[in-house]
Amino acid sequence: MSTYTESIEKLMERLIKLPGIGRRSAERIVGYILNVSIQEIKSLSEAICNVKENVRFCRICNNLSEQELCRICQDSRRKKDILCIVEKPSDVSAIEKTGNFGGVYHVLLGSISPLEGIGPTDLKINGLINRIKQENIKEVIIATDFDTEGETTALYLTGLLKPQGVKLTRIGVGIPMGSNLEYADSPTLSMAFASRREI
Ligand SMILES: [Zn+2]
């Protein structure tokens, strides 16, 4: 039998549903909530609601945006003929932090995973070929993760895009096998971009 009050139990039940939050973390968050001012907590819940209400996916690249087009797609200084394909918006953020990539992105919003029943049609691949043709893309960099799903996705994209006659490259050296792009530090990611190889 729990020694917590009813409303604390209810909050913990919800917190445990969040990714990476177990019961102990939920207890710590509840402790924090009880310790700070009601204003702090109202600001927090308002920030959560604002994200849910205002953030959507960019019409061109599927990156996160609060307008029809994301900041990167709107930026006329970006090289529009070099396209980097990533799995998630957090990968865009990791690559942008390196400051070394001046092109544009295409975010798949997932990766192929036969085990979880996720196939190519579940990803944002539609429109990719059209985009490559219409925007006169010269090079496509495949920057999916180096785990099984990421490699499977890279292989699928290679088969799909190779016949388009576009220069295809895969980022490489420095990122350990089986790892996720977003956790690589900036120097490693910069090196992976610099040492990308043609496929
Ligand atoms: Zn965009």
Side-chain angles (χ1 to χ4, degrees), residues 112-158:
I112 298 172
S113 172
L115 278 179
E116 290 173 49
I118 303 169
T121 51
D122 298 308
L123 308 183
K124 296 285 181 190
I125 290 176
N126 267 357
L128 184 57
I129 290 180
N130 265 350
R131 197 179 162 195
I132 288 168
K133 279 184 182 163
Q134 280 170 7
E135 294 176 27
N136 204 14
I137 307 268
K138 301 274 190 305
E139 178 183 353
V140 174
I141 303 171
I142 301 177
T144 51
D145 284 344
F146 285 85
D147 55 10
T148 311
E149 293 81 10
E151 292 289 12
T152 307
T153 309
L155 204 65
Y156 175 82
L157 290 171
T158 306

Side-chain angles (χ1 to χ4, degrees), residues 58 61 63 70 73:
C58 171
C61 75
N63 189 15
C70 74
C73 287

Side-chain angles (χ1 to χ4, degrees), residues 152-189:
T152 307
T153 309
L155 204 65
Y156 175 82
L157 290 171
T158 306
L160 184 78
L161 301 179
K162 201 77 186 163
Q164 302 303 314
V166 67
K167 183 182 177 187
L168 263 189
T169 54
R170 176 89 168 111
I171 61 162
V173 178
I175 299 194
M177 291 296 290
S179 71
N180 283 14
L181 204 76
E182 63 186 310
Y183 303 128
D185 56 47
S186 281
T188 305
L189 210 46

Side-chain angles (χ1 to χ4, degrees), residues 57-65 68-74 104-107 131:
F57 298 109
C58 171
R59 181 171 58 76
I60 294 178
C61 75
N62 311 313
N63 189 15
L64 298 175
S65 178
E68 198 185 0
L69 301 184
C70 74
R71 277 194 209 141
I72 294 168
C73 287
Q74 280 185 44
V104 289
Y105 294 91
H106 184 91
V107 187
R131 197 179 162 195

